[in-house]
């Protein structure tokens, strides 16, 4: 069973690639970025078992992790309550975990992280 359009949008987004749009006619389409073309090809040509892994392992968990980041904002005003102590790094920790899962999805699909994930073609990374 092929990915739905909504699933493809989520895969591109989680992998850090820009939106595809209605037609691949702009200068940012997959025709101009090898990794983007590879992602499109692989999304359209996965085995059913590979699609199942992406759906059940990656997309399901990434949706949960992504929605947990803004929800963590409700605790930003509390530093300590009774015996409970707020993790001051909760938002950062959740974002780090979310981005790790995004990179794992890229690795499973076999594409480099896109520009929206700090990777991809034309990006610069500083390692200290």
């Amino acid at each position: 069973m092929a990915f739905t359009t909504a699933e493809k949008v989520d895969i591109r987004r989680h992998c850090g690639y820009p939106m595809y749009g209605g037609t691949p006619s702009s200068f940012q389409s997959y025709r101009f970025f090898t990794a983007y073309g590879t992602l499109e090809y692989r999304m359209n040509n996965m085995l059913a078992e590979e699609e199942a892994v992406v759906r059940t392992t990656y997309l399901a968990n990434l949706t949960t992790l992504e929605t947990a980041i803004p929800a963590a904002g409700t605790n930003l005003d509390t530093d300590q309550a009774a015996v409970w102590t707020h993790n001051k790094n909760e938002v950062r920790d959740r974002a780090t975990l979310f981005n790790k899962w995004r990179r794992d999805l890229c690795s499973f699909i076999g594409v480099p992280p896109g520009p929206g994930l700090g990777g991809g073609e034309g990006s610069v990374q500083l390692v200290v």
Side-chain angles (χ1 to χ4, degrees):
M1 180 178 163
F3 289 117
T4 66
T5 302
E7 288 171 328
K8 286 182 179 182
V9 167
D10 282 342
I11 292 168
R12 287 184 202 106
R13 191 169 58 82
H14 289 314
C15 287
Y17 288 89
M19 63 180 199
Y20 186 75
T23 58
S25 60
S26 71
F27 70 94
Q28 290 194 10
S29 74
Y30 66 88
R31 295 173 292 143
F32 297 93
F33 300 96
T34 306
Y36 201 163
T38 301
L39 175 62
E40 293 300 318
Y41 176 82
R42 293 200 173 145
M43 283 192 300
N44 292 324
N45 294 287
M46 283 188 190
L47 295 171
E49 295 81 3
E50 293 167 331
E51 287 179 10
V53 169
V54 172
R55 276 189 189 97
T56 60
T57 302
Y58 291 103
L59 292 181
N61 286 314
L62 282 165
T63 299
T64 302
L65 291 169
E66 183 177 33
T67 56
I69 295 170
T74 60
N75 293 329
L76 294 179
D77 62 341
T78 306
D79 189 36
Q80 188 170 355
V83 295
W84 177 80
T85 304
H86 173 68
N87 175 3
K88 294 178 183 178
N89 300 316
E90 180 180 5
V91 174
R92 184 197 67 201
D93 294 347
R94 287 182 183 277
T96 300
L97 180 61
F98 174 59
N99 287 332
K100 182 231 182 279
W101 272 83
R102 293 173 68 193
R103 290 180 188 285
D104 289 349
L105 173 61
C106 291
S107 178
F108 178 76
I109 294 174
V111 295
L117 190 51
E121 298 174 30
S123 68
V124 177
Q125 291 182 330
L126 177 63
V127 179
V128 180

